[in-house]
Amino acid sequence: MKDVLIVGAGPVGLMLACELRLAGARPIVLEKRAEPGELPKANGLGGQIVELLDHRGLLERFSAGSPFAWRAPGFPFGGVPLRFAGIDDIPLRLLLIQQPQLERLLAERARELGAEIRRGCEVRALAQDEEGVTLDTSQGPIRARYAVGCDGAGSLVRDQAGIAFPGGTDDEGLLIGHFTAGPEVFAALEAAGLQQGWNRRPHGRVLFTSLREGVLIAGVREGRASGYDPVSLADFQAAVRRVLGRDLPLGEPIWLSRTAAQARLAERYRAGRVFLAGDAAHLFPAGGSALNAGMTDAANLAWKLAGRLRGRVTDEVLDTYESERRAVGERTLLQTRAQAAIDRAEGEAGEALRALLTEVFAFEAPARHLATLLHDAGVRYPSPPDAHPLVGRFVPDLALHGGTRVAELMHEARPVLLDLGGGATVEADWVRVIKATCADPPADTLLIRPDGYVAWAGADGAEEAAERWFGGSAVRASRV
């Protein structure tokens, strides 16, 4: 019997495959598309996932050729600009990378680690029992101990597992497209008085922006969603004309699509031996958060699922995937619904709201708070009442004496006991013990989970925390 079947070879499914292999599990990724997708549905990563790529030693590889990577200089929140210049230690990280390139790099990494990816394999039905899950696919039945639905908004895995997906679909449709555009196109847009970003008019809104030289990103929002894909260039030009009252050059289309935003959250992230991650578990009505939430879902689930397969962790630990990540989904849904409401507000009332929020967001405290929401939903995982403030938080990237950073200790995706002078030790299978020093240590000792979260911090209690989270009986010690 196989270990884990992952349905969907998008960024979340591929990230999950990488993380499972690092943790010692044997995943198979099933993807109904015969070839990788080429549509740049997303133009980058924003949030904690950028730090997690750094933890895996992948940030340099993934940022090669990117026009921007690391600390965000600003971010649009519901059409209102957030600017972080002059504010120290803003947590939000950005990496501009188009989705096809992201998927190619993740697939390369998954294969390097030994994961199997089966393309052209469509899942048609799911059944589970006490021992495992059976998927009926176009390549025949496949059975495994667990299955994870990373198959998007219309998830068959979610439906077959009987998990409800309450929420709603926005009445307002969006046409979005990328165009090959020369300088004359951008000059014409400027001459027409159109700004970078959304341009509001009585009959809708038109977006013009660019993240790469020679490529125009354009979007049109108007009234109720209508029509279906495929979208033609004539359809797009007609929508621009209806909103702006004039024709504008757009260049040659690279891809065009029509969509409507949804706000949904799965009632459960687990049903027996079936789990959900990414868009199969949550859909957000404003952009910029979906990949961050989904790919960090994968990092949270992988080590727990692999640990359960190998007898290292209890089912109670595996259950924390839902309790921890659904809380992140709830908070992300809250802030993206707020963004959508701010963006949709029309007329003088809408302009007044955005003008006032622009003033408010210029202050450090609200800018910092919103940056935290965008970065990791501002959620602290459940912790004992008397726990150190770092417990349940993502570990800070401390600079250790000798030139090592904490992020460099996490490349293997193993638990780490970082002894910063407290003399603590544990006996737990696969926990790596590191003795190090740093300036102003936040605690005597940190017990760090594979997903980068602090499981325990302090002078006493490392053994109990390690036993609860990781079990086992062997330790590998190192010194940096």
Side-chain angles (χ1 to χ4, degrees):
M1 188 185 299
K2 308 298 183 183
D3 281 349
V4 184
L5 298 175
I6 301 170
V7 183
V12 176
L14 293 170
M15 182 72 181
L16 180 59
C18 293
E19 292 288 295
L20 283 168
R21 284 300 301 137
L22 285 170
R26 299 166 300 158
I28 299 176
V29 183
L30 309 178
E31 171 55 57
K32 65 181 179 181
R33 297 174 300 173
E35 299 293 335
E38 291 300 326
L39 297 183
K41 298 177 183 178
N43 290 292
L45 300 174
Q48 193 178 84
I49 183 57
V50 181
E51 287 186 300
L52 189 61
L53 290 176
D54 188 31
H55 271 218
R56 297 297 179 258
L58 297 173
L59 187 57
E60 183 176 354
R61 177 175 175 178
F62 278 53
S63 61
S66 170
F68 185 84
W70 208 233
R71 193 180 305 277
F75 202 83
F77 190 90
V80 180
L82 283 170
R83 296 186 176 91
F84 304 137
I87 304 177
D88 294 333
D89 300 324
I90 282 293
L92 183 61
R93 305 290 188 265
L94 295 178
L95 170 59
L96 294 182
I97 179 172
Q98 292 193 326
Q99 187 162 331
Q101 174 70 354
L102 176 63
E103 290 186 9
R104 279 194 290 272
L105 290 170
L106 286 169
E108 285 175 9
R109 179 61 174 159
R111 290 192 177 98
E112 287 170 6
L113 293 169
E116 181 180 352
I117 302 172
R118 297 186 188 178
R119 295 195 177 274
C121 184
E122 182 177 3
V123 176
R124 296 167 174 167
L126 175 153
Q128 63 171 311
D129 53 44
E130 291 184 359
E131 300 299 323
V133 183
T134 302
L135 299 183
D136 178 21
T137 81
S138 57
Q139 297 180 6
I142 310 174
R143 186 163 171 79
R145 298 275 300 281
Y146 294 96
V148 185
C150 301
D151 49 342
S155 172
L156 179 140
V157 171
R158 184 188 62 237
D159 292 345
Q160 293 274 305
I163 299 175
F165 201 38
T169 301
D170 198 341
D171 287 339
E172 188 180 60
L174 169 66
L175 287 179
I176 190 75
H178 288 205
F179 301 83
T180 301
E184 70 282 357
V185 171
F186 293 96
L189 298 176
E190 184 177 352
L194 297 167
Q195 63 182 10
Q196 286 266 329
W198 285 103
N199 297 265
R200 295 174 183 274
R201 298 293 186 269
H203 300 295
R205 288 163 283 164
V206 176
L207 167 74
F208 295 111
T209 191
S210 179
L211 299 175
R212 294 180 181 274
E213 185 176 354
V215 177
L216 172 70
I217 300 174
V220 186
R221 289 189 181 274
E222 52 167 352
R224 291 183 172 273
S226 61
Y228 300 93
D229 282 336
V231 178
S232 69
L233 178 59
D235 293 334
F236 207 102
Q237 291 171 324
V240 171
R241 188 184 312 117
R242 287 192 296 270
V243 174
L244 297 180
R246 61 179 294 179
D247 289 312
L248 284 173
L250 296 172
E252 290 298 317
I254 300 170
W255 71 279
L256 304 170
S257 183
R258 188 192 317 266
T259 187
Q262 297 188 62
R264 299 183 184 276
L265 184 65
E267 286 190 345
R268 295 176 290 158
Y269 281 22
R270 179 183 187 182
R273 291 182 171 271
V274 177
F275 295 83
L276 303 177
D279 286 356
H282 40 65
L283 292 172
F284 306 123
S289 295
L291 285 180
N292 183 44
M295 293 174 72
T296 49
D297 283 348
N300 184 292
L301 175 59
W303 70 269
K304 298 171 182 176
L305 195 53
R308 187 66 184 136
L309 281 163
R310 300 182 71 172
R312 289 169 166 163
V313 308
T314 64
D315 211 47
E316 288 73 19
V317 169
L318 187 52
D319 280 338
T320 65
Y321 168 65
E322 178 174 319
S323 61
E324 292 178 347
R325 295 309 298 176
R326 199 171 185 280
V328 171
E330 288 173 347
R331 289 288 289 173
T332 305
L333 189 56
L334 180 146
Q335 61 93 352
T336 53
R337 275 178 163 153
Q339 285 196 62
I342 294 167
D343 188 48
R344 278 197 303 263
E346 296 293 349
E348 293 182 349
E351 293 302 322
L353 174 63
R354 286 183 288 274
L356 182 59
L357 288 178
T358 299
E359 295 180 15
V360 172
F361 292 174
F363 290 95
E364 180 173 342
R368 185 181 296 280
H369 178 71
L370 292 175
T372 300
L373 277 180
L374 292 164
H375 185 70
D376 63 4
V379 170
R380 180 185 184 186
Y381 290 160
S383 308
D386 59 347
H388 188 283
L390 282 178
V391 176
R393 301 286 190 187
F394 199 78
V395 65
D397 192 20
L398 304 173
L400 307 176
H401 291 153
T404 302
R405 297 181 297 124
V406 167
E408 296 173 67
L409 307 179
M410 306 303 298
H411 289 185
E412 297 177 12
R414 292 178 55 173
V416 168
L417 183 76
L418 180 58
D419 178 0
L420 296 172
T425 188
V426 300
E427 292 186 1
D429 185 24
W430 65 307
V431 177
R432 186 182 178 199
V433 178
I434 302 289
K435 296 183 182 297
T437 58
C438 70
D440 300 318
D444 290 338
T445 310
L446 301 176
L447 182 63
I448 309 167
R449 304 181 345 181
D451 58 356
Y453 276 79
V454 177
W456 172 89
D460 299 304
E463 186 69 43
E464 293 81 0
E467 179 64 26
R468 180 208 166 189
W469 285 104
F470 312 123
S473 62
V475 174
R476 187 178 76 177
S478 303
R479 182 180 295 274
V480 295

